[in-house]
Amino acid sequence: GLVLLAVLRRLPSGAWWWKSAVLGLLNFGAFFALLFIAAYRLPGGVAAMVGAVQPLLVAVLASRVLGERLGPVKLAAGAAGIAGVGLLVLSADARLDAAGVLAALGGAASMAAGIVLTKRWQPPAGPLVSTAWQLVAGGVFLAPVMLTVEGSSMPAFTGLNLAGYLYLALVGTVLAYWLWFRGIARLPASSVSFLSLLS
């Protein structure tokens, strides 16, 4: 986010300071913190199935906030998505952990609210600039959590670590989220959210 801001040289103005903070918290800060809690406490299949509720949450929120039509087809598709993810990834030895399930539900709700608010507020800058603002805001929220959980000790950086970080930063973050926010701007929020089932 900071590198993008340095390259793009555009800061939020007016209400976009707090809107970027809210979107950064929902789409990145809270979402990733809760996602990793769920990933640590639940088997991957259980975490994925609970997280698959996100398209249903987006469809319901979008109907209330954006006025998108909530019909039986969307509801059935959301339920089928959850069932499909469950059929693909659940195993017979899957176990439940209350804190993990709550974290997975919280992460899905956080991203669902972020998608709907991104669509409602329509950032004044392009998706890349908006991505930069949200990444920085999400990082500001995550930094104290990281310092509390991980402490101040950081692993030694090797060339391989830096290459992996560069790949994640450019391809897995900048490119991926630029495409994601561009899609949210152009498509109905409830349609975009079904793409999350692919992950």
Side-chain angles (χ1 to χ4, degrees):
L2 290 173
V3 171
L4 271 179
L5 277 183
V7 170
L8 299 171
R9 297 178 182 227
R10 182 161 178 194
L11 293 174
S13 60
W16 274 98
W17 283 100
W18 70 264
K19 287 181 178 181
S20 296
V22 169
L23 293 175
L25 175 63
L26 293 172
N27 288 321
F28 295 103
F31 171 70
F32 280 117
L34 293 168
L35 176 72
F36 283 98
I37 290 170
Y40 278 115
R41 299 188 65 104
L42 295 171
V46 174
M49 187 171 164
V50 174
V53 75
Q54 179 187 315
L56 276 177
L57 295 176
V58 170
V60 170
L61 284 172
S63 72
R64 303 285 188 258
V65 176
L66 303 173
E68 290 184 11
R69 190 171 165 275
L70 178 64
V73 172
K74 279 187 186 173
L75 293 173
I82 295 168
V85 169
L87 288 172
L88 284 172
V89 298
L90 278 183
S91 62
D93 60 345
R95 61 179 169 69
L96 294 179
D97 171 81
V101 170
L102 287 174
L105 285 172
S110 176
M111 181 61 89
I115 289 169
V116 171
L117 287 178
T118 299
K119 182 72 174 176
R120 180 179 175 107
W121 289 339
Q122 290 290 321
L128 199 56
V129 173
S130 173
T131 299
W133 298 345
Q134 291 183 52
L135 283 170
V136 171
V140 167
F141 288 112
L142 280 174
V145 175
M146 186 268 309
L147 289 172
T148 302
V149 174
E150 299 292 334
S152 59
S153 62
M154 295 290 289
F157 285 105
T158 66
L160 186 60
N161 293 19
L162 291 173
Y165 182 78
L166 186 63
Y167 173 80
L168 286 174
L170 294 177
V171 178
T173 304
V174 173
L175 177 62
Y177 280 102
W178 172 70
L179 292 169
W180 179 249
F181 290 125
R182 187 171 178 262
I184 290 173
R186 294 178 178 211
L187 300 168
S190 54
S191 296
V192 171
S193 67
F194 279 95
L195 293 173
S196 67
L197 295 174
L198 295 173
S199 68

